[in-house]
């Protein structure tokens, strides 16, 4: 049979390294799993393609990983036939062997229970313990995963450095010798001030109770506020009803809508004005006279043009942003506006230098082939060497799209996974790094252990003596660190707007930066989620703190994680004296498939003209 296996590998174009040992193990696999040589080689081809192996060589080092692949194939085949049957594997044996007497006295892992997990009373053990299905707080020492086999570690993929050149002994990143570097505690960073804007829903809030009236009021308020701000700026006429026939130029403010299902096209663009100006009626919008534009459903725009027939508004100018001197919060409830002003004023009373150093990463934090959370462990090790003032981690943390989570193949509840795999690592990091380090956690609607609603409440985190270091933020959320204003939103609004956007580029050949244009929409609309109707996967609830979606003033840094390619963009808004700059960051995903992704290292010193920002592949 060994010869047959060898021939099958050759037929498929594979050569054997350490032939005797490889054939011996392959023969064992065939016997144990009742496989023909051709079936074994077919399984190897699937494993080879999934692991993205470079060479067509079957190596002995891959046999352990190939064995796990075969076990999973066998388990999936049996589960399809008998879904109630549990298949024991070598992982379960490891689990039993690694349990000590105290573990054996505990209840056998089974159906997740509702009892709350108390991290406070459970001391942290640096020795990794295995749990059901072989998932643990650390991976087995002998198991080499695709992530662990990667070669290009901590490579700078993109960099913006506008800081003055100074001599320092640290060097820039010292990425070349990370494997040989002795992990040592660096000079402690200076603790940064932190103020969180509490505008979102509270933990434990009720949701799924929004009514049509809530949606109507939220959209009406957006249109009305934009109309008020545009008119108050003095640059535009008083808004009028766009559905009334008129031979003269008028100015109308409304929301872009699509006449029917599907994407926008030139014949399906509608403008829905406010109840105040048009009774909420729609007018067809014609944009053929404009040399360039970028629109999407839900966008609030000002239109200058004519409607000679009363059926179609022919635009001569499109205004897609409000002047920087104006504020969307003009009609905000006086109590909320006063409270916000008081919070901002309190930070201005004491002088703090507007500088911050941060690491920014977005989930998933583990690869799709396991729940070892290796990328998160590597990121925290890097943070332990660099010691930034701020570590911003954005969900998903326990990703509902992870294959093991989707299949329900985890023997712990999602809350237990979050506490044991995420919070424990963060607590270890904070205790190692010292009291000057702060961690910000932003949830995602893909977090299996958190409320599936948007806007989303912050994580309800209770860690003794660390509440001032590990902070939960709403999604979306705004915080200020050393008076540097940062906005965050983990919903992939860039990708969703990209799928709905209709644009026309200038005819003079001026290059258009699509990612900057998409990011500009968020600032121009003064909303973290200006798209309407929302994407199918977004549980938008207008009854929950609709003001949480508003961007009342332009942040210094805007973080928008997306599945689209990572970027760092400096957005220029306004003109002349009113010109403002905002740094927009898509850090990418920390884990991509079975490999590593990217994160951002930022050193901000007061303005985009004084910063060093790098996108680093983990």
């Amino acid at each position: 049979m060994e010869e047959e296996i060898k021939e099958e590998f050759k037929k498929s174009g594979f050569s054997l390294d350490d032939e005797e040992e490889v054939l011996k193990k392959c023969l064992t696999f065939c016997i144990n799993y009742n496989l023909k040589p051709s079936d074994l080689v077919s399984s190897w081809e699937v494993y080879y393609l999934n692991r993205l192996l470079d060479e067509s060589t079957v190596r002995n080092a891959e046999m352990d990983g190939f064995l796990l692949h075969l076990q999973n194939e066998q388990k999936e085949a049996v589960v399809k036939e008998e879904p109630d049957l549990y298949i024991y594997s070598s992982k379960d044996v490891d689990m039993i062997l690694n349990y000590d007497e105290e573990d054996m006295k505990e209840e056998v892992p089974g159906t997740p229970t509702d009892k709350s997990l108390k991290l406070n009373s459970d001391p942290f053990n640096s020795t990794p313990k295995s749990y059901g299905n072989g998932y643990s707080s650390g991976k087995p020492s002998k198991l080499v995963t695709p992530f662990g086999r990667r070669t290009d570690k901590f490579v700078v993929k993109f960099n913006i450095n506008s800081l003055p050149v100074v001599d320092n002994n640290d060097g820039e990143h010292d990425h070349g010798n990370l494997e040989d570097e002795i992990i040592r505690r660096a000079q402690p960073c200076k603790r940064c001030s932190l103020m969180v804007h509490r505008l979102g829903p509270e933990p434990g809030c009720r949701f799924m109770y929004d009514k049509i009236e809530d949606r109507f009021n939220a959209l009406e308020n957006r249109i009305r506020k934009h109309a008020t701000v545009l008119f108050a700026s003095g640059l535009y006429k008083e808004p009028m009803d766009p559905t009334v026939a008129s031979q003269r130029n008028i100015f109308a403010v409304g929301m872009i809508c699509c006449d029917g299902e599907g994407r926008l096209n030139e014949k399906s663009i509608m403008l829905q004005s406010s109840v105040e100006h048009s009774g909420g009626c729609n007018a067809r919008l014609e944009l053929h006279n404009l040399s360039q534009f970028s629109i999407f459903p839900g966008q609030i725009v000002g239109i200058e043009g004519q409607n000679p027939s009363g059926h179609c508004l022919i635009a001569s100018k499109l205004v897609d942003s409000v002047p920087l001197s104006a504020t969307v919060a003009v009609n905000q409830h006086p109590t909320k506006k006063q409270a916000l002003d008081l919070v901002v004023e309190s930070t201005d009373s004491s002088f703090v230098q507007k500088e911050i150093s941060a690491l920014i990463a977005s989930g998933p934090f583990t690869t799709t082939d396991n729940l070892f959370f290796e990328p998160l462990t590597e990121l925290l090790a890097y943070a332990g060497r660099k010691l930034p003032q701020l570590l911003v981690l954005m969900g998903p943390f326990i990703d509902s799209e992870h294959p093991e989570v989707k299949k329900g193949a985890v023997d712990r509840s999602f809350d237990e996974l979050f506490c044991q795999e995420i919070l424990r690592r963060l607590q270890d990091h904070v205790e190692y790094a010292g009291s000057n380090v702060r961690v910000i956690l932003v949830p995602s609607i893909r977090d299996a252990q958190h409320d599936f609603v948007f806007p989303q409440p912050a994580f309800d985190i209770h860690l003794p003596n660390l509440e001032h270091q590990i902070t939960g933020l709403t999604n979306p959320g705004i915080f200020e660190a050393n008076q540097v204003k940062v906005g965050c939103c983990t919903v992939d609004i860039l990708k969703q707007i990209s799928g709905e956007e209709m644009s026309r580029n200038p005819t003079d050949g001026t290059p258009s930066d699509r990612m900057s244009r998409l990011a500009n929409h968020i600032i121009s609309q003064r909303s973290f989620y200006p798209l309407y109707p929302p994407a199918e996967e977004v549980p938008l609830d207008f009854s929950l703190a609709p003001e949480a979606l508003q961007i009342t003033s332009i942040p210094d840094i805007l973080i928008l994680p997306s599945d689209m390619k990572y970027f760092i963009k400096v957005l220029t808004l306004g003109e002349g004296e009113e010109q403002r700059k905002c740094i927009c960051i898509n850090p990418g995903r920390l884990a991509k498939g079975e490999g590593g992704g990217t994160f951002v290292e930022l050193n901000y010193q007061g303005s985009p003209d004084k910063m060093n920002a790098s996108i680093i592949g983990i």
Side-chain angles (χ1 to χ4, degrees):
M1 186 178 277
E2 286 186 1
E3 288 300 321
E4 290 181 32
I5 295 171
K6 183 177 178 181
E7 286 301 317
E8 288 292 337
F9 273 120
K10 285 186 177 179
K11 281 182 188 177
S12 299
F14 292 101
S15 59
L16 303 180
D17 180 46
D18 196 359
E19 184 175 306
E20 183 179 349
E21 195 65 29
V22 168
L23 288 176
K24 188 186 298 182
K25 290 184 178 180
C26 287
L27 176 60
T28 304
F29 298 159
C30 286
I31 294 171
N32 289 346
Y33 298 109
N34 196 23
L35 296 173
K36 298 177 183 177
S38 57
D39 295 335
L40 180 81
V41 174
S42 296
S43 295
W44 170 261
E45 288 178 339
V46 174
Y47 174 82
Y48 170 82
L49 292 172
N50 286 344
R51 297 302 172 104
L52 302 175
L53 302 180
D54 296 329
E55 301 176 6
S56 299
T57 305
V58 183
R59 299 188 181 279
N60 188 34
E62 295 291 341
M63 288 296 103
D64 289 340
F66 184 42
L67 173 59
L68 290 175
H69 173 76
L70 289 174
Q71 288 175 345
N72 288 333
E73 280 190 340
Q74 296 290 317
K75 183 188 294 185
E76 289 173 4
V78 174
V79 167
K80 284 181 182 178
E81 297 176 4
E82 299 184 52
D84 296 329
L85 187 65
Y86 183 79
I87 306 295
Y88 285 90
S89 68
S90 59
K91 290 182 179 180
D92 298 283
V93 177
D94 290 339
M95 175 192 73
I96 295 169
L97 292 177
N98 287 334
Y99 270 157
D100 54 25
E101 291 182 4
E102 291 181 3
D103 293 323
M104 296 301 290
K105 291 177 185 177
E106 293 179 0
E107 185 180 355
V108 176
T111 305
T113 60
D114 291 332
K115 64 180 181 180
S116 60
L117 186 74
K118 295 183 179 179
L119 271 179
N120 308 353
S121 59
D122 190 11
F124 283 45
N125 188 350
S126 59
T127 306
K129 290 185 180 180
S130 296
Y131 294 88
N133 283 353
Y135 303 127
S136 65
S137 298
K139 67 182 179 64
S141 58
K142 294 182 180 179
L143 180 61
V144 180
T145 62
F147 180 83
R149 269 205 323 271
R150 75 200 190 285
T151 54
D152 296 331
K153 300 180 182 181
F154 300 101
V155 175
V156 178
K157 296 180 177 291
F158 178 80
N159 175 258
I160 297 178
N161 189 358
S162 52
L163 292 178
V165 179
V166 293
D167 291 334
N168 62 47
N169 298 326
D170 262 352
E172 277 194 351
H173 287 282
D174 224 3
H175 302 297
N177 298 316
L178 284 178
E179 289 292 321
D180 301 324
E181 180 183 338
I182 299 174
I183 298 181
R184 57 178 176 80
R185 187 185 295 266
Q187 291 297 319
C189 59
K190 187 177 179 181
R191 183 178 175 86
C192 66
S193 66
L194 182 66
M195 184 191 72
V196 176
H197 291 221
R198 300 287 184 186
L199 292 176
E202 294 297 323
C205 63
R206 293 176 52 177
F207 52 94
M208 294 178 64
Y209 287 92
D210 65 328
K211 307 170 186 174
I212 294 178
E213 181 183 357
D214 296 324
R215 291 175 176 259
F216 167 78
N217 288 334
L219 297 174
E220 175 70 12
N221 287 338
R222 279 188 64 204
I223 298 172
R224 187 164 43 83
K225 286 178 181 179
H226 272 68
T228 303
V229 168
L230 289 172
F231 178 60
S233 70
L235 301 175
Y236 307 100
K237 303 175 186 176
E238 184 175 1
M240 298 180 64
D241 184 355
T243 63
V244 175
S246 173
Q247 298 293 330
R248 61 190 181 88
N249 265 353
I250 64 168
F251 181 70
V253 177
M255 182 176 72
I256 297 293
C257 303
C258 182
D259 183 17
E261 296 183 2
R263 291 191 57 177
L264 283 176
N265 59 63
E266 292 186 359
K267 302 298 182 183
S268 66
I269 309 171
M270 305 290 289
L271 184 72
Q272 178 180 324
S273 189
S274 65
V275 172
E276 178 185 356
H277 293 113
S278 69
C281 294
N282 295 343
R284 197 169 79 80
L285 189 59
E286 182 60 68
L287 302 178
H288 67 268
N289 290 336
L290 302 183
S291 60
Q292 68 178 83
F293 60 82
S294 173
I295 58 173
F296 59 89
Q299 183 182 22
I300 310 298
V301 296
I303 299 290
E304 285 185 3
Q306 295 179 335
N307 188 354
S309 65
H311 300 294
C312 179
L313 180 62
I314 303 172
S316 58
K317 182 178 181 180
L318 185 148
V319 181
D320 60 0
S321 63
V322 296
L324 298 184
S325 56
T327 172
V328 177
V330 289
N331 291 328
Q332 197 173 40
H333 193 280
T335 306
K336 289 182 180 177
K337 189 173 186 298
Q338 183 182 10
L340 185 60
D341 290 342
L342 286 174
V343 172
V344 174
E345 186 181 345
S346 68
T347 61
D348 291 337
S349 60
S350 60
F351 175 76
V352 178
Q353 202 164 8
K354 201 172 180 180
E355 296 179 357
I356 194 74
S357 62
L359 289 184
I360 303 166
S362 175
F365 290 94
T366 188
T367 52
T368 55
D369 58 332
N370 60 60
L371 286 172
F372 297 146
F373 289 87
E374 293 172 277
L376 176 60
T377 303
E378 294 272 2
L379 178 71
L380 294 180
Y382 184 86
R385 291 190 290 269
K386 295 293 182 176
L387 290 183
Q389 294 170 302
L390 205 59
L391 180 60
V392 182
L393 301 181
M394 310 177 71
F397 294 92
I398 309 301
D399 188 6
S400 58
E401 296 297 317
H402 192 282
E404 298 299 330
V405 174
K406 288 178 76 173
K407 287 190 297 185
V410 186
D411 285 341
R412 288 173 282 171
S413 72
F414 299 140
D415 284 331
E416 288 172 335
L417 266 176
F418 180 67
C419 291
Q420 293 166 357
E421 302 291 0
I422 305 297
L423 292 185
R424 284 191 173 189
R425 283 178 167 89
L426 293 178
Q427 186 166 354
D428 283 343
H429 168 71
V430 168
E431 289 175 351
Y432 165 80
S435 59
N436 290 337
V437 173
R438 291 185 183 272
V439 180
I440 302 284
L441 300 182
V442 188
S444 164
I445 58 174
R446 281 169 52 183
D447 271 310
Q449 85 287 0
H450 201 45
D451 295 335
F452 182 64
V453 65
F454 184 74
Q456 198 171 21
F459 291 127
D460 195 10
I461 302 171
H462 298 289
L463 294 175
N465 305 321
L466 295 177
E467 291 183 353
H468 299 293
Q469 285 187 266
I470 301 179
T471 306
L473 190 69
T474 57
N475 174 35
I478 296 175
F479 67 90
E480 292 183 31
N482 284 352
Q483 297 189 21
V484 179
K485 192 170 185 178
V486 183
C488 308
C489 181
T490 57
V491 169
D492 197 346
I493 182 61
L494 295 177
K495 185 178 180 181
Q496 293 170 14
I497 288 182
S498 175
E500 298 291 340
E501 180 198 39
M502 175 186 171
S503 63
R504 178 183 297 162
N505 294 326
T507 55
D508 59 3
T510 306
S512 175
D513 184 348
R514 185 162 176 262
M515 298 311 298
S516 293
R517 187 176 73 229
L518 294 174
N520 253 314
H521 283 314
I522 310 301
I523 301 294
S524 299
Q525 292 293 295
R526 298 290 204 275
S527 172
F528 283 107
Y529 198 86
L531 186 66
Y532 190 85
E536 186 177 352
E537 65 270 18
V538 177
L540 186 59
D541 190 327
F542 283 110
S543 67
L544 283 180
E547 63 272 9
L549 298 178
Q550 296 178 8
I551 302 177
T552 53
S553 62
I554 296 174
D556 298 296
I557 301 168
L558 182 63
I559 308 173
L560 301 173
S562 173
D563 291 332
M564 303 178 78
K565 188 176 181 180
Y566 54 77
F567 64 78
I568 300 172
K569 302 285 186 183
V570 178
L571 308 179
T572 302
L573 309 157
E575 297 177 354
E577 294 181 358
E578 286 190 359
Q579 191 177 86
R580 286 283 306 276
K581 290 184 177 181
C582 171
I583 304 168
C584 186
I585 297 174
N586 170 19
R589 305 296 185 186
L590 191 67
K592 287 187 175 181
E594 296 184 357
T598 55
F599 65 95
V600 167
E601 183 173 4
L602 175 68
N603 184 7
Y604 181 86
Q605 297 188 5
S607 76
D609 300 324
K610 293 182 180 179
M611 73 164 184
N612 185 359
S614 301
I615 295 176
I616 302 172
I618 198 164

